[in-house]
Amino acid sequence: MQLTTLVPLLVASASTHAFPTERRSIFTSVDILDDVLLFDAPAFPDPTNPVNTLVALQTFVSLRQIDLGPLISGVEAAVKTLGLDVGDATSTVEERLKLFAAIGLPNKTVKVNVGGCSKQAQLLGTSGLPDLGMALQNVSIGTCGAARELSSEVVVSSLDSRTFGATVFSSPDSGFGVISGMSQSIHLNIDDTVKVSNVLDTLALAKSTLIDDPVAVTGMPELYASLASSLQSPQFIYVSGSPFQLHPFLHDFISTTFSASKGPIFLQNLTLVDIPGLLDFVAGSNGILEYKLSQIDRIHGMYPNKKFLAVGDSTQKDPETYGVAFRKFGGDFISCAWIRAVDGADNTDARFSAAFSGVPENKFRIYTDNEIPSLQQIDVAGGKC
């Protein structure tokens, strides 16, 4: 989690809620005055009882938002200082940034029903500061059917007609998985691997994050669809350095553009942010190696016997992340790493040699955009890289 500047627009937005956090915290269950973000989640076999299924369930509970006017006014003023005109894209900016104005609630118990599973999931208490309103726990959902995609829904009050749903992606602790960066087109990190986000250009990054429709890296949706087939329905997991508040935006992008390779998106926790701080956070590399390594550790904890193809790019720390992961867990876990060389990034032989020191040359590949179509011909399942 990273904490940045609390700005007046968040204070103004908070004032539109019916009750202050201190008074609301006495209600421990989700009620009609709460908003809930339920994240897509990976499910995996319980190592102590293989017939039982565990799910890495994550939710964010906040005060229900009533009026986002102060937020939008503040955002428009902030982005203008960057030389960017919101124009007629106000509704898009509002939708993408509304979670940055959300006031998290601590001590909220969240119950979730997962379709096809015998046990209701229960998250016991959202966090206080610094991860205010967030809960991430491995919880039991009992025995489940053979389906790989399971619908999940938060249990709400009988007075509440809203629904808060997500997808649970269930996968055995065997076979293949794909770790993608969002920027690649969406595999282990979500910034330039699957989606063009211009992390090396601040103004372009602001525009692509706040206003523009997302654009996939040419050829990546087709490549991932090919991998979904050749690796026999691998568990796709997207790891991004972006803040969790962008989850709805990124989720919609993955679900539509990468419909054949959907999977949970792992994002960083970020609270109390201003617009320049948000862009610095998305584009910056401070702490990104440690964060991505922690997510690799998390994935290994769920699927220690899976083989993963790790896909990333050269804009941030994907080469270094995958190199460390290979040296730590070996080739039985990181079976292959693909790194997209992004124009303007450090694509020197010296960098890649250092990042993949100790990794056999046949276990990693540096590729360019022109080579993306040819990657479909590689027999990853047969041990090629």
Side-chain angles (χ1 to χ4, degrees):
M1 199 292 301
Q2 182 167 338
L3 190 69
T4 61
T5 309
L6 176 63
V7 292
L9 67 92
L10 293 183
V11 176
S13 177
S15 69
T16 66
H17 294 87
F19 296 101
T21 304
E22 292 79 1
R23 293 181 61 186
R24 292 292 319 288
S25 63
I26 62 173
F27 303 106
T28 59
S29 59
V30 173
D31 60 58
I32 198 169
L33 295 175
D34 299 336
D35 273 331
V36 182
L37 173 62
L38 182 64
F39 295 80
D40 290 343
F44 52 98
D46 185 343
T48 65
N49 181 12
V51 300
N52 184 51
T53 299
L54 300 178
V55 58
L57 203 62
Q58 184 174 10
T59 63
F60 174 67
V61 182
S62 60
L63 287 168
R64 189 169 181 177
Q65 294 176 315
I66 307 301
D67 178 16
L68 292 175
L71 169 67
I72 298 307
S73 297
V75 167
E76 289 179 339
V79 297
K80 282 181 180 179
T81 65
L82 302 174
L84 186 63
D85 185 7
V86 172
D88 58 1
T90 300
S91 60
T92 299
V93 174
E94 175 181 334
E95 185 63 27
R96 292 186 189 173
L97 290 185
K98 65 182 181 180
L99 280 172
F100 289 99
I103 308 300
L105 293 172
N107 305 318
K108 303 294 290 191
T109 294
V110 183
K111 297 178 181 179
V112 179
N113 289 326
V114 180
C117 298
S118 63
K119 186 177 180 181
Q120 184 182 77
Q122 183 166 295
L123 290 170
L124 297 175
T126 52
S127 297
L129 289 172
D131 297 325
L132 189 62
M134 187 68 72
L136 172 58
Q137 301 165 18
N138 291 342
V139 295
S140 172
I141 49 177
T143 57
C144 302
R148 300 296 288 268
E149 294 186 22
L150 309 170
S151 297
S152 59
E153 187 171 312
V154 174
V155 177
V156 297
S157 163
S158 59
L159 301 176
D160 196 344
S161 62
R162 298 173 300 162
T163 58
F164 305 104
T167 301
V168 170
F169 294 91
S170 183
S171 186
D173 183 24
S174 60
F176 271 87
V178 178
I179 295 172
S180 173
M182 278 300 284
S183 56
Q184 192 58 36
S185 89
I186 284 182
H187 238 351
L188 214 231
N189 86 320
I190 257 169
D191 302 302
D192 279 306
T193 299
V194 291
K195 180 178 76 68
V196 176
S197 64
N198 303 295
V199 297
L200 300 175
D201 183 329
T202 300
L203 183 59
L205 175 61
K207 192 169 181 290
S208 64
T209 300
L210 303 178
I211 296 176
D212 290 344
D213 291 331
V215 177
V217 174
T218 301
M220 291 306 292
E222 294 80 7
L223 173 61
Y224 279 23
S226 175
L227 290 170
S229 175
S230 64
L231 298 181
Q232 300 182 12
S233 301
Q235 176 73 300
F236 283 83
I237 300 176
Y238 298 95
V239 177
S240 173
S242 296
F244 80 86
Q245 289 91 340
L246 293 177
H247 181 272
F249 162 53
L250 297 173
H251 170 271
D252 289 347
F253 172 64
I254 294 295
S255 297
T256 54
T257 308
F258 290 84
S259 59
S261 55
K262 294 182 291 184
I265 303 170
F266 293 176
L267 300 166
Q268 292 202 73
N269 289 354
L270 174 67
T271 57
L272 310 181
V273 66
D274 55 23
I275 299 304
L278 166 62
L279 298 176
D280 287 344
F281 183 84
V282 173
S285 59
N286 290 338
I288 195 68
L289 176 61
E290 292 75 13
Y291 163 72
K292 290 185 175 180
L293 286 174
S294 72
Q295 300 310 298
I296 297 285
D297 288 348
R298 179 184 170 194
I299 293 168
H300 183 267
M302 293 184 284
Y303 304 110
N305 298 305
K306 260 191 194 303
K307 292 180 179 292
F308 278 91
L309 166 64
V311 185
D313 64 67
S314 61
T315 58
Q316 294 184 322
K317 295 292 184 179
D318 289 346
E320 291 76 11
T321 299
Y322 298 153
V324 171
F326 186 96
R327 291 187 290 271
K328 182 175 183 177
F329 298 117
D332 287 338
F333 181 66
I334 302 295
S335 66
C336 173
W338 290 348
I339 299 296
R340 172 175 166 252
V342 177
D343 289 345
D346 180 0
N347 297 318
T348 61
D349 290 342
R351 181 205 178 174
F352 295 133
S353 294
F356 289 108
S357 175
V359 179
E361 290 186 0
N362 65 349
K363 289 295 184 180
F364 68 93
R365 175 183 296 269
I366 313 301
Y367 67 94
T368 64
D369 287 0
N370 291 335
E371 296 173 303
I372 290 175
S374 66
L375 297 178
Q376 294 187 36
Q377 309 306 316
I378 298 174
D379 183 14
V380 177
K384 303 297 184 180
C385 184

